[in-house]
Amino acid sequence: MASEAGLSAPDTKLSPDTVDQELAPYAASTAEWVGLSQGQLIWRRFRRSRMALIGMVVLIILYIGMLFCEFFSPYLLNTRFTDNIFEPPTLPRWVDAEGQFHLRPFIYKYDRKVNRETLEMTYTADTSKMYPIYFFVQGEPYKLWGIIATNIHLYGINDKKVPIFIWGSDRQGRDLFTRCLYGSRVSLTIGLVGVFLTIIFGTTLGVTSGYFGGRIDDFVQRFSELLMSIPQIPLWMALAAIVPVTWPPLRVYFGITIILSFLSWGGLARQLRSKTLSLREEGYTLAAKAGGGSDWWVISRHLIPNNASHIIVVATLAVPSMILAETALSFLGLGIRAPMTSWGVLLEEAQNVKTIVLNPWLLIPAFLVILTVLGYNFLGDGLRDAVDPYTR
Amino acid sequence: MIPIQPVSQDDQMVIEVKDLAVHFAVFQGRVPAVNGVSFTIERGKTLGVVGESGCGKSVTGLSIMHLLPTPPAELVGGEIIFHRLSTGEVIDITKLSPQSAEMRSIRGNDIAMIFQEPMTSMTPAYTIGEQIMEAVILHQKVNKREARQRAVEMLDRVGMPQPGRNVDSYPHQLSGGMLQRAMIAAALSCQPSLLIADEPTTALDVTTAAQILDLMGQLQDEMGMAIMHVSHNLGVVAEVANEVAVMYLGRIVERSSVDDLFYNPKHPYTRGLMHSIPQIGQRQRLEPIRGVVPEPDAIPKGCAFAPRCPLFSPATCPPIVPPSVTVGPGHEVLCYRYDS
Amino acid sequence: MIDTLKPLLEVRNLKKHFPIRRGLLKRTAGYVRAVDDVSFFIMPGETLGLVGESGCGKTTAGRCLLRLIEPTAGEILFGESQDSRPIDVTKLDMASLKSYRRNIQIIFQDPYSSLDPRMSVADIVSEPLRIHKVASGSELEDRVANLLKSVGLQAAHLRRYPHSFSGGQRQRIGIARALALGPKMIVCDEPVSALDVSVQAQVLNVLEDLQDQFGLTYLFISHDLNVVDHISDRVAVMYVGKMVELARTTELFEHPLHPYTEALISALPQPDPRKKRDRILLTGDVANPADPPSGCYFHPRCRYAQDICNTEAPSWREIIPGHFAACHFAGEINLRPLSKPLIMKG
């Protein structure tokens, strides 16, 4: 407000109230952002970046798909249609062979013909019979998240012998769409769990090393440099090879996660250390100490909350590299093992030229990885731009 | 470029700014950082530009050099007329594109600028000699050896100890005062006719600042250039300026000779400033100016100072920008109540 | 000054040396003598100004008083009351240090970095109260509201965040925070240097009013002689870690005894265009606290220097009652005092 300064002494005959009224026609609008907290301001600024919002929406969609994957997929993870291997995607149609429009989408069955000489398989659609797609159909029973028993699937067709593969099928006749959704459970969460651990390691070590300095600082820095200088892929391979073959898949999953996060806290720790160093000598941290605050008080109430936005940004941008790392490991056969599946495992099955030429739909998991990585990158960029101006 | 025109009556005028207006696009909206500023500076004279943060004094200097980044800044009106006295040319800087060869031949050559923070205004990767030589080589078509000689000469002239050795020093090896001297050497290496000094002594210690101000005065006597000295410190301005322009929220609210400004200030803001600065030897209670500088999106219509003005009254001060009134020779005020 | 009154704070031979570490094994290659054997005292209710240029150690000295920086040597004696014995702050353990910090507080120079941007004004000002568990709930809020009022802000500002305030207002929030625990003394570390000219006056007035209202004692650190003159009862001048002169304010400016003080006074730009400029210009730059000259640190720049100044460091002596200086020739050379400005307030 034009006059809201707060006067050091009631000095003139014009009190703040009269000045307000008299100046009303002269004063321009007041900023309604004045009363907002830091977090609200950041959200406002974030909203202005369209790419960041798109990224966020894409990720929300992917994560919802992941959460309810058993429901969204028409089949279970290992359901096989042995007569329909390497079948191309069965596209839902609304217009039949005669040109008639149907409201309910349907599919045509594929007939497979094998060329005797070249062993080439060709699939042609059999337009004689339409198989309508129904929603909320009853299918194979499953337990949602291992808890809720049900058998409702989002979509399916009534004839259980005719498969619907909206993204095609693989070498064993399994629906790729189903396997992608189940695989997302691993691929999308390994990044989050890993980054969570990275945050814990990186923040604790970075802030303490920056705050206390001296020997602690030296030790932590040298240790992190050591870790960061080890070549990544050979190290992963070695560590992955150490994981015993006899371990159940879930333990393997956590083992891989911990390995990945253990190697990647160095960058975050260094950034937080430098921010802490600059805050330590000046400003509000010193004021808190002057007020009698202990080291722990200063770290927990001032340093960490003020670094929180930075941490979130770094974390958001670190998730893609975790996902890519897991994908790479599984692609090389060193990561997740059957019966669990991830996008990397799916891509392992697409590891040859024949696939690219004859069955290109098997590369869809790569596209999903790209989508996720881009989504996180846009989100992270938007967050970083939103956070920066308000660190004052 | 305007071709050679009949020389104006005052043929010593180096720069003429007329109704300059520059707007900035910021988070809160559009801000008129410079809102109708006019002044002239003659050869051998110093114009002191005084104001607090947000008044637009630095933006004015940067506009003359055409160094403002054009988003977010935008030149929306006015003219900046530069008189190249050696050839009699008259150039309107606002009509030149910032990247054009013509503007670049003016920058550093005819008009030079020195900044507040010497440590950040010099590249840490090059020696100060190389940075001085850069300007010389760009504008004066001499070879490296001659340029280096020129650099050593300039360093000597600005009082740098051991110029032959220090020409090869890196900025981080020199103190603030020496760096400021190096910056002045670089600015004056091509003998500009106008030097824009943006708070050149604010970041320096008092004793060092005194040396630099003294140096600038000497160099002005020797080289005859015009100086636009931007400062928030009235003491500095009293010492170096011939004429002073007081700026508030993008407008010049008072312009006069330096003597008139201190002994006969007319604008309530100027008078408020005088009464609010502590002065050695006078210990009575300070009278601050009420209120604070408004936010960029809350700038009042009409007289921008009205909400804080002790003389304001709706009867005498309508919500229209006051006209410029001449109250004495070379003394202009932007106020309705100047004669109270 | 009543002779029977004991000082609130007495500093004896305070030293702070920062080691310079070089090499892989961080060997100590030398010391930055930020504060080098400084002694002074402050009386209750007075304002002691501390001036000097960059690197003189005034900020370090101020922070040592709160032990925000740990002194290397020396004693800091704080007199809780006129009757009890003073305590040596340098020897306090962590627990006693915490309760000592209720007596002496600090205001910082930069209004933008001294307030936590994520905390509301209420949280910032109440933090010291919460740390010491002095009050809570609605009583806490009332106290904070009163503190804000005493610095000229309104209770409505409690819920706001620092970014919506100007520099001067933020500085006042910092002052309110420093007042929260009811300290006897406040170290003001360049509190107005980062503010606009017209706002400096507001904050200075607030500081003066609070001093009257609460009987505060100030150590006012600044590089601006004008401001220091305005607010201080006595002034101390520091150069490269050493205190070179200390006297009552008017006495210092009318009869300086140290050549450095003379040069500082002469270098000051005066807002009066009619005054003759006849500066004493020092040569060279401020000496390096990591590698100071021999003998008197100021001698390379001093126009009165003699041979003894090169070899022997001058001692800190009381030349005239209440007026201290560290110069071999203090009182013997005729130094130029401040020339008063002509009346110019129109």
Side-chain angles (χ1 to χ4, degrees), chain B:
Chain B
M1 181 170 92
I2 308 171
I4 297 177
Q5 287 190 337
V7 173
S8 52
Q9 300 128 311
D10 192 359
D11 60 345
Q12 299 219 14
M13 194 164 12
V14 171
I15 191 111
E16 254 184 298
V17 174
K18 292 186 189 161
D19 290 320
L20 183 66
V22 177
H23 288 194
F24 269 78
V26 292
F27 183 50
Q28 298 96 315
R30 265 178 89 83
V31 173
V34 176
N35 207 355
V37 161
S38 309
F39 58 84
T40 61
I41 315 181
E42 288 81 39
R43 215 176 159 274
K45 301 276 198 237
T46 300
L47 173 73
V49 180
V50 186
E52 301 174 289
S53 41
C55 71
K57 53 195 197 295
S58 293
V59 175
T60 307
L62 288 170
S63 309
I64 297 179
M65 292 284 278
H66 228 340
L67 277 176
L68 289 172
T70 25
E74 197 191 319
L75 184 70
V76 297
E79 301 174 318
I80 301 172
I81 316 264
F82 171 62
H83 297 248
R84 191 178 264 149
L85 296 174
S86 53
T87 58
E89 288 166 77
V90 175
I91 305 165
D92 183 356
I93 289 177
T94 57
K95 302 272 183 304
L96 298 177
S97 139
Q99 321 291 5
S100 64
E102 243 210 291
M103 187 64 225
R104 284 185 285 118
S105 82
I106 294 178
R107 233 184 256 139
N109 192 14
D110 294 299
I111 306 181
M113 189 160 178
I114 58 178
F115 301 92
Q116 176 173 345
E117 286 280 353
M119 196 63 82
T120 52
S121 307
M122 295 221 127
T123 315
Y126 289 95
T127 65
I128 56 172
E130 283 166 347
Q131 296 183 55
I132 300 175
M133 282 157 60
E134 186 181 35
V136 175
I137 292 177
L138 266 177
H139 296 292
Q140 308 232 323
K141 312 284 181 286
V142 295
N143 65 29
K144 264 185 105 171
R145 201 167 40 83
E146 285 172 35
R148 187 190 157 86
Q149 215 171 330
R150 191 81 70 88
V152 175
E153 276 168 27
M154 280 310 301
L155 283 176
D156 189 36
R157 219 153 162 207
V158 298
M160 174 79 70
Q162 297 182 318
R165 246 187 35 174
N166 276 321
V167 71
D168 292 321
S169 302
Y170 286 91
H172 68 267
Q173 296 172 307
L174 301 175
S175 69
M178 305 229 279
L179 269 184
Q180 197 62 297
R181 289 175 198 266
M183 186 146 66
I184 293 175
L188 298 180
S189 56
C190 299
Q191 313 234 329
S193 33
L194 172 66
L195 174 69
I196 303 176
D198 191 351
E199 308 257 17
T201 56
T202 304
L204 302 174
D205 286 321
V206 166
T207 51
T208 315
Q211 296 170 345
I212 299 290
L213 288 178
D214 189 69
L215 171 68
M216 284 172 66
Q218 275 178 33
L219 290 171
Q220 185 178 38
D221 288 337
E222 276 174 37
M223 294 169 61
M225 66 222 165
I227 299 184
M228 176 176 154
H229 192 130
V230 175
S231 178
H232 67 273
N233 187 330
L234 282 173
V236 168
V237 162
E239 187 172 314
V240 302
N242 303 108
E243 259 195 42
V244 183
V246 179
M247 286 187 72
Y248 185 76
L249 282 184
R251 297 202 181 96
I252 295 184
V253 296
E254 186 158 6
R255 186 156 67 95
S256 71
S257 72
V258 65
D259 196 86
D260 271 343
L261 192 86
F262 285 90
Y263 281 88
N264 196 14
K266 288 292 185 194
H267 196 282
Y269 176 59
T270 315
R271 286 150 77 168
L273 277 184
M274 302 288 179
H275 288 260
S276 65
I277 49 177
Q279 260 202 71
I280 282 198
Q282 298 179 332
R283 307 194 83 210
Q284 59 260 50
R285 188 173 168 85
L286 302 170
E287 297 164 39
I289 303 178
R290 297 180 14 220
V292 291
V293 178
E295 287 293 326
D297 60 340
I299 296 177
K301 304 187 190 19
C303 173
F305 187 60
R308 309 174 68 191
C309 184
L311 298 179
F312 167 79
S313 106
T316 52
C317 307
I320 310 169
V321 180
S324 174
V325 179
T326 307
V327 293
H331 191 161
E332 286 168 27
V333 190
L334 215 69
C335 183
Y336 293 110
R337 306 289 310 272
Y338 62 89
D339 50 4
S340 328

Side-chain angles (χ1 to χ4, degrees), chain C residues 129 136-149 158:
Chain C
L129 295 168
S136 62
S138 61
E139 193 204 329
L140 189 65
E141 239 189 77
D142 286 337
R143 283 177 79 137
V144 173
N146 282 331
L147 284 167
L148 287 181
K149 282 209 200 80
L158 275 177

